[in-house]
Amino acid sequence: MKAVYPGSFDPVTAGHLDIIERAAKIFDCLVVTVFSNPAKKPLFSVEERVAMLKEATSHLPNVEVDASDGLLVPYVRRIGARVIVKGLRAISDFDYEFRMALMNKKLDPEVETVFILTSSQYAYLSSSLIKEVASLGGCVTGLVPAGVERRLREMWPAAR
Ligand code: PNS
């Protein structure tokens, strides 16, 4: 069975990678898709986000990386999947994710959303916190894949 893990991935974090690795054990094929959201001003271009995801998932043979825009549900159908994978961190994620899952269900009742609970060591991680810490020179080692850390350091050298 094929599933889609959508997100902004600006940038991919160790928390995302944990969800990807676990979902890849459940589904035959997992497509990780970078969605561009016109309302957000991303740090990395879609191409850079795809490149970082490809690098970080190169050890996972059943994971593909793609990019899209527009509505998620028709995309899921277009690529021959019926499952959306989402990571769930805390109660704060629940309200938003619950509403999105119900709206997606309304748009296409045949598409199911499956939630995977984040591993506890990544429960506080988010792309926005990573960007804030890295931009102020803080250490993000172990919190993002090595390729992401390198790109962040090129933008903002570590504080001494
Ligand atoms: O990583 P994010 O920013 O939480 O990901 C949000 C994402 C990309 C999953 C969400 O914005 C999305 O599904 N975008 C596609 C547009 C869409 O279908 N919107 C209606 C959702 S109910």
Side-chain angles (χ1 to χ4, degrees):
M1 190 181 277
K2 190 178 201 175
V4 176
Y5 178 37
S8 305
F9 303 112
D10 184 41
V12 58
T13 68
H16 293 130
L17 199 54
D18 170 59
I19 299 290
I20 293 170
E21 284 171 347
R22 289 160 60 203
K25 286 186 193 154
I26 300 172
F27 298 99
D28 302 311
C29 171
L30 182 73
V31 184
V32 182
T33 307
V34 175
F35 267 82
S36 38
N37 179 350
K40 284 188 187 170
K41 172 89 187 74
L43 176 64
F44 293 103
S45 69
V46 169
E47 292 72 23
E48 286 171 315
R49 285 179 268 164
V50 165
M52 289 185 277
L53 274 164
K54 282 190 174 163
E55 250 174 66
T57 59
S58 59
H59 61 298
L60 300 167
N62 62 336
V63 171
E64 293 169 20
V65 181
D66 193 12
S68 190
D69 51 17
L71 274 179
L72 170 61
V73 162
Y75 164 83
V76 170
R77 282 298 196 123
R78 217 163 45 238
I79 66 160
R82 282 196 178 184
V83 179
I84 298 167
V85 170
K86 288 297 195 78
L88 206 53
R89 275 173 308 200
I91 298 168
S92 51
D93 277 346
F94 185 78
D95 176 53
Y96 176 57
E97 290 298 343
F98 185 66
R99 284 185 282 121
M100 274 206 290
L102 289 183
M103 178 58 88
N104 286 332
K105 190 97 190 133
K106 170 81 180 128
L107 294 171
D108 189 337
E110 296 296 313
V111 173
E112 288 294 345
T113 303
V114 170
F115 291 100
I116 297 182
L117 281 187
T118 185
S119 297
S120 55
Q121 71 265 38
Y122 303 125
Y124 63 96
L125 264 191
S126 68
S127 298
S128 34
L129 262 188
I130 291 291
K131 285 181 277 191
E132 183 175 335
V133 170
S135 72
L136 297 171
C139 175
V140 293
T141 304
L143 304 180
V144 289
V148 173
E149 187 180 356
R150 181 174 42 76
R151 283 171 171 87
L152 289 169
R153 283 287 155 253
E154 282 163 11
M155 273 179 196
W156 299 299
R160 287 168 208 284

